[in-house]
Amino acid sequence: DQCVAQGVPFAREYGGYLDNRSFGGAQVSRTFYARGQTGQQLLLGAYSALSRQVGLGTVKMYERHEILDVVVIDGRARGIIARNMVTGELERHAADAVVLATGGYGNVYYLSTNAKGCNTTAIWRAHKRGAYFGNPCFVQIHPTCIPVSGEHQSKLTLMSESLRNDGRVWVPMKKGDTRKPNDIPEAERDYYLERRYPSFGNLVPRDVASRAAKQVCDEGRGVGASKMAVYLDFADAIKRQGKAKIEEKYGNLFDMYYEITDENPYEVPMRIYPAVHYTMGGLWVDYNLQTTIPGLFAAGEANFSDHGANRLGASALMQGLADGYFILPYTLGGYLGGTQFPKVSTDAPEFAEAEKNVKSVIDRLLAVKGTKSVDYFHKKLGKIMWDKVGMGRNEAGLKEAIAEIRELRDDFWKNVRVLGESEELNQSLEKAGRVADFLELAELMAVDALHRRESCGGHFREESQTEDNEAKRDDENFSYAAAWEFKGVGAEPKLHKEELTFEYCKPSQRSYK
Ligand SMILES: Cc1cc2nc3c(=O)[nH]c(=O)nc-3n(C[C@H](O)[C@H](O)[C@H](O)COP(=O)(O)OP(=O)(O)OC[C@H]3O[C@@H](n4cnc5c(N)ncnc54)[C@H](O)[C@@H]3O)c2cc1C
């Protein structure tokens, strides 16, 4: 209702009630949607509501400013240091409390479905100031993305999960089959999700569908030029429902796919492959969304809160909206009402120290004057993370990843070349600061993945699988959220365990068979 009031055009049934559709991981239709653009429409609704408040003068908006540090005075968050990205000027902002809603860190993998600007800087620097980082290795890899087509790419495109309602996922039975998809007869196709998971079929949750796609590609049955793709085929749905119906449901997505791949999905199956999409980890928060630094709150994808090791479709925006509309107004109000706030000025030594800290990172980046671009390091980091801290993780690979990340970080600080100056619009500098932070966060993700020797949700430890290769959980030893305390770059972080107690619903082995 909140979203509808903000103008989100949810799909409706003939009688005017909100319509639902099914999504991965659920066998009933229970997800409200706005054609294939739910996320975007929710964003537009929230953004319009924010703009209205800006117009009314209740919110002051600082566009093109990047938070580069959190200022902590007497143990409480009392402000931030931000860089004006147009002039390069560093600004001090004092406050009674600070809320970080700066999104997820999927771009640590370089390629992801996230916008290019998504990064970890604000939450990572808060972590370095004392905020614990919760479950950093929990990453969602979405099965329905347009496959990587080459080295030139800087991001990946998500095809909506809704497509798995009608599309059937398959690969050829035979390894290395080079026939065109429409030339492969039914009997020689492996609809592997329907075969392995008869009760959920193509609508298994994202982590299960992603791992299954990786598995068939690793077996040599992938399709397309890269052989790292599977088919998502609408031929049956078109035959059953007619082209017009499919166009009505997914026309915008089909057009997008055609624009990107130059292949017509009404005539040939789409090619899809998993891609990094959402990070369930983030700053550890309590039920008030407060981090371990009093007065510092984290909302939305920036915190670790609701999802555990997995996340079903549509629940990210639900969490973000709940955090912002229904939790923070009360818990932040409670904090402000129940706390004494001695007046702080931006002249306080803590502000000066934080600003100096930010400036020293910028100066250091500009002073390296090496020979390799920031993207060179980001791509290398992405490859390590995708190969060793991606869909399948094992002890040897994670140990290698940690060593390689450290090596790459050293190389970055010796050989990166950041163009331009600090007192100007400088995207090379912005990127460099973010990649420097990714290079530290990546190590924590690998450390977290290494210590969690069970498989759970999107975290698949290859050593911990059932006989039929499904994720095997270990609740006896790992029924806790891992909250990591920063102890210095390259130093071993300290693990704090938040035990998880389940009174009514006990965790159990998932089965979609
Ligand atoms: C392609 C795509 C489709 C999706 N579809 C759905 C869907 O249908 N349903 C669903 O539930 N979820 C969906 N998701 C997930 C969901 O959109 C995100 O989890 C959600 O938008 C996160 O919201 P947020 O406000 O926490 O962070 P974001 O939307 O990422 O916003 C963070 C903001 O903080 C800014 N920022 C970052 N760092 C700084 C800094 N240091 N200083 C200042 N500002 C900073 C960023 O520029 C950005 O504006 C989708 C995600 C993607 C990528």
Side-chain angles (χ1 to χ4, degrees):
D1 288 348
Q2 173 86 21
C3 297
V4 169
Q6 289 174 344
V8 178
F10 282 120
R12 293 192 177 260
E13 295 169 348
Y14 180 71
Y17 290 113
L18 289 174
D19 195 13
N20 301 282
R21 70 174 162 208
S22 51
F23 244 49
Q27 280 174 313
V28 289
S29 291
R30 60 172 192 187
T31 308
F32 299 138
Y33 67 99
R35 213 172 177 210
Q37 301 188 350
T38 319
Q40 183 151 6
Q41 294 301 330
L42 286 165
L43 176 74
L44 291 174
Y47 199 76
S48 318
L50 172 64
S51 300
R52 182 166 164 267
Q53 295 304 322
V54 173
L56 290 171
T58 59
V59 172
K60 183 157 166 43
M61 173 86 103
Y62 292 86
E63 290 99 354
R64 295 183 172 228
H65 278 65
E66 182 168 24
I67 301 170
L68 294 178
D69 210 346
V70 174
V71 180
V72 181
I73 300 179
D74 294 334
R76 293 183 183 276
R78 295 304 306 267
I80 56 160
I81 304 295
R83 179 171 177 272
N84 179 324
M85 292 152 83
V86 179
T87 63
E89 195 189 335
L90 294 181
E91 296 175 7
R92 303 175 183 187
H93 294 266
D96 290 336
V98 175
V99 179
L100 295 179
T102 50
Y105 50 88
N107 282 346
V108 66
Y109 291 84
Y110 186 68
L111 289 179
S112 83
T113 63
N114 291 186
K116 278 296 284 175
C118 293
N119 67 90
T120 189
T121 289
I123 59 171
W124 185 252
R125 297 195 182 177
H127 174 59
K128 290 171 88 168
R129 286 269 169 212
Y132 294 177
F133 209 112
N135 297 334
C137 80
F138 289 170
V139 176
Q140 178 178 79
I141 299 187
H142 197 300
T144 328
C145 304
I146 299 183
V148 175
S149 63
E151 285 289 311
H152 60 283
Q153 263 175 298
S154 57
K155 85 178 282 315
L156 294 172
T157 305
L158 172 78
M159 298 309 294
S160 166
E161 175 157 86
S162 60
L163 293 171
R164 284 196 284 139
N165 271 302
D166 284 305
R168 299 179 70 195
V169 178
W170 65 275
V171 288
M173 294 266 191
K174 222 171 47 189
K175 283 184 194 176
D177 194 331
T178 51
R179 285 175 293 178
K180 292 197 175 123
N182 292 346
D183 294 338
I184 302 179
E186 271 304 306
E188 293 175 45
R189 299 177 177 191
D190 181 9
Y191 293 91
Y192 58 90
L193 291 177
E194 297 172 22
R195 170 173 59 77
R196 285 177 63 179
Y197 307 103
S199 50
F200 279 71
N202 296 293
L203 280 176
V204 287
R206 293 175 183 177
D207 62 316
V208 176
S210 292
R211 278 196 294 275
K214 177 177 185 298
Q215 216 172 329
V216 291
C217 291
D218 289 350
E219 284 165 17
R221 297 196 288 144
V223 302
S226 68
K227 301 288 171 211
M228 293 307 278
V230 300
Y231 290 128
L232 180 64
D233 196 334
F234 292 87
D236 281 353
I238 292 172
K239 217 181 288 162
R240 215 173 42 245
Q241 301 173 40
K243 186 178 168 203
K245 186 77 198 163
I246 294 300
E247 195 171 350
E248 184 190 316
K249 284 188 186 171
Y250 311 116
N252 55 332
L253 298 167
F254 277 43
D255 288 349
M256 189 165 83
Y257 182 84
Y258 174 66
E259 291 294 329
I260 292 174
T261 63
D262 199 27
E263 288 170 15
N264 181 350
Y266 292 103
E267 286 165 12
V268 287
M270 283 184 181
R271 285 173 298 108
I272 52 162
Y273 197 66
V276 170
H277 183 57
Y278 184 91
T279 45
M280 281 78 77
L283 289 186
W284 184 92
V285 287
D286 61 15
Y287 284 108
N288 291 338
L289 301 183
Q290 187 167 233
T291 68
T292 46
I293 301 177
L296 178 68
F297 294 77
E301 198 173 333
N303 71 31
F304 93 114
S305 67
D306 300 328
H307 304 297
N310 219 342
R311 183 185 79 89
L312 293 180
S315 59
L317 288 162
M318 187 62 250
Q319 183 215 328
L321 295 170
D323 285 0
Y325 288 122
F326 307 119
I327 302 176
L328 277 177
Y330 301 98
T331 60
L332 194 54
Y335 174 74
L336 295 176
T339 312
Q340 298 280 336
F341 293 100
K343 212 169 160 38
V344 300
S345 140
T346 50
D347 293 332
E350 290 86 349
F351 272 96
E353 183 274 323
E355 188 181 313
K356 197 167 144 226
N357 179 40
V358 167
K359 190 163 179 319
S360 75
V361 175
I362 292 174
D363 291 346
R364 198 175 155 209
L365 286 166
L366 289 166
V368 180
K369 296 197 189 308
T371 53
K372 295 171 186 163
S373 70
V374 176
D375 276 353
Y376 164 88
F377 290 100
H378 198 176
K379 280 184 188 173
K380 283 217 147 198
L381 176 66
K383 180 146 176 42
I384 300 170
M385 295 301 285
W386 182 243
D387 288 347
K388 296 176 177 163
V389 198
M391 278 187 278
R393 301 152 175 199
N394 60 57
E395 183 168 342
L398 289 165
K399 286 183 173 160
E400 279 165 25
I402 292 170
E404 287 170 22
I405 293 164
R406 287 183 177 169
E407 219 170 282
L408 190 65
R409 199 167 55 221
D410 285 350
D411 191 21
F412 174 87
W413 284 109
K414 281 191 199 123
N415 292 310
V416 71
R417 181 158 195 98
V418 183
L419 303 170
E421 304 297 331
S422 66
E423 283 83 29
E424 60 182 9
L425 191 150
N426 186 343
Q427 292 193 317
S428 171
L429 178 63
E430 289 163 24
K431 265 200 293 195
R434 294 170 191 169
V435 171
D437 292 332
F438 278 141
L439 282 162
E440 294 176 7
L441 164 74
E443 183 175 334
L444 183 66
M445 291 170 72
V447 165
D448 186 40
L450 182 62
H451 110 281
R452 191 170 282 276
R453 305 175 74 89
E454 65 163 352
S455 294
C456 59
H459 170 63
F460 187 68
R461 275 295 295 259
E462 285 161 1
E463 302 90 337
S464 181
Q465 9 186 335
T466 60
E467 268 169 21
D468 42 4
N469 305 113
E470 302 295 343
K472 188 169 157 206
R473 46 192 306 140
D474 176 0
D475 291 311
E476 202 161 308
N477 294 305
F478 291 99
S479 190
Y480 60 82
W484 296 92
E485 183 182 350
F486 183 74
K487 290 288 181 190
V489 178
E492 205 179 314
K494 183 167 178 203
L495 173 64
H496 301 263
K497 296 178 181 176
E498 183 195 14
E499 294 299 330
L500 302 173
T501 41
F502 297 89
E503 237 171 278
Y504 300 108
C505 299
K506 304 281 179 207
S508 58
Q509 191 64 39
R510 289 184 294 158
S511 170
Y512 302 99
K513 298 213 181 258

